[in-house]
Amino acid sequence: MHRTLWSLYPSPQQVAHAACQRILATAAAAIRERGHFRLVLAGGTTPEQCYRLLAQQSANWSRWHLYFGDERCLPTDHPERNSLMVATALTDQVAIPAAQVHSIPAERGAEEAAAAYSAQLAESLPFDLVLLGMGEDGHTASLFPGQHHPPETLAVAVHNAPKPPPDRVSLNYTTLARSHEILILVTGASKREALRRWRAGEPLPITALSTGGHVTTLVDQACW
Ligand code: 6PG
């Protein structure tokens, strides 16, 4: 069982820069070896700066296929939608074909969207890189402590999420783990306690995701 490799940076800006470089390098290798780059994006606020940096780079965008680790059940134009954050920061700025940006139709409701996305994911595995964040309770994507999902389901409906909004869709543990690499970004003093619990081996959602192979976690000084 592999443990995550940790990289510590002085600031969130330097975490974002290092993540951007790592994504570009992983993309180039995946395209060279497999002809495509299947990237699962994290939501929330931590990765946004990295996405903005990516949008300033040049890459073989026509070979990139983007997926979402989770999505909130909100209208597509709601400011809290992960898909809107990604469009603003990245996909509206670069030439990734729209048909290769696979958003989760969470506006259709959690169950219907999870079923539709599961069908789409079945043709897209394994991923080349999965990006994840971590919440202050150790959740990742929309996999929350104490919430259990049937392991064979690729994308799951989430209700009563402790982080609003309550209804979400998330890729399941087993699905997120079906990737050549996983890159986890954690910054800020608010994550310090969850990081300590994770490193102590507590059974948090993030712990389950970080014990596979090829997992790297980039953290800043404030949460370390
Ligand atoms: C979401 C995210 C979620 C996020 C963590 C950290 O949709 O809420 O996918 O899993 O990664 O909650 O969020 P921040 O980066 O905003 O701290």
Side-chain angles (χ1 to χ4, degrees):
M1 180 166 63
H2 301 271
R3 290 269 175 252
T4 183
L5 297 177
W6 300 91
S7 289
L8 171 62
Y9 296 88
S11 69
Q13 292 73 18
Q14 285 159 297
V15 167
H17 180 77
C20 174
Q21 294 308 310
R22 194 177 182 92
I23 293 166
L24 290 170
T26 305
I31 291 166
R32 200 168 43 247
E33 292 162 23
R34 292 182 285 276
H36 57 242
F37 178 49
R38 293 174 176 158
L39 171 62
V40 177
L41 295 174
T45 59
T46 300
E48 186 170 351
Q49 197 171 354
C50 169
Y51 299 158
R52 292 185 185 282
L53 289 172
L54 275 175
Q56 297 163 19
Q57 311 300 314
S58 62
N60 192 349
W61 300 116
S62 68
R63 299 300 183 90
W64 287 45
H65 297 253
L66 300 185
Y67 303 85
F68 288 77
D70 68 338
E71 185 56 275
R72 295 93 179 267
C73 293
L74 298 167
T76 53
D77 59 353
H78 192 286
E80 291 297 304
R81 278 277 300 222
N82 289 329
S83 54
L84 186 63
M85 178 271 286
V86 166
T88 306
L90 178 58
T91 53
D92 286 353
Q93 319 298 332
V94 297
I96 299 174
Q100 293 172 205
V101 179
H102 306 280
S103 58
I104 301 175
E107 65 282 2
R108 290 161 46 184
E111 274 70 17
E112 184 179 334
Y117 210 58
S118 291
Q120 197 168 9
L121 290 170
E123 304 156 21
S124 313
L125 295 168
F127 301 121
D128 294 298
L129 178 61
V130 168
L131 268 183
L132 292 171
M134 182 192 72
E136 294 160 0
D137 59 358
H139 80 258
T140 191
S142 285
L143 301 170
F144 290 93
Q147 294 195 348
H148 303 287
H149 305 285
E152 70 282 357
T153 311
L154 291 177
V156 295
V158 174
H159 299 292
N160 307 310
K163 174 180 181 181
D167 296 331
R168 294 158 168 257
V169 178
S170 183
L171 269 57
N172 206 347
Y173 291 93
T174 43
T175 316
L176 290 167
R178 288 175 66 179
S179 179
H180 290 274
E181 293 194 43
I182 293 177
L183 183 62
I184 305 171
L185 310 182
V186 184
T187 62
S190 69
K191 307 294 174 71
R192 181 185 290 268
E193 176 58 12
L195 194 62
R196 184 197 62 74
R197 295 175 59 203
W198 169 15
R199 297 189 71 210
E202 287 193 31
L204 303 169
I206 192 71
T207 314
L209 254 298
S210 63
T211 51
H214 308 292
V215 179
T216 301
T217 302
L218 310 186
V219 298
D220 74 348
Q221 196 66 51
C223 67
W224 185 251

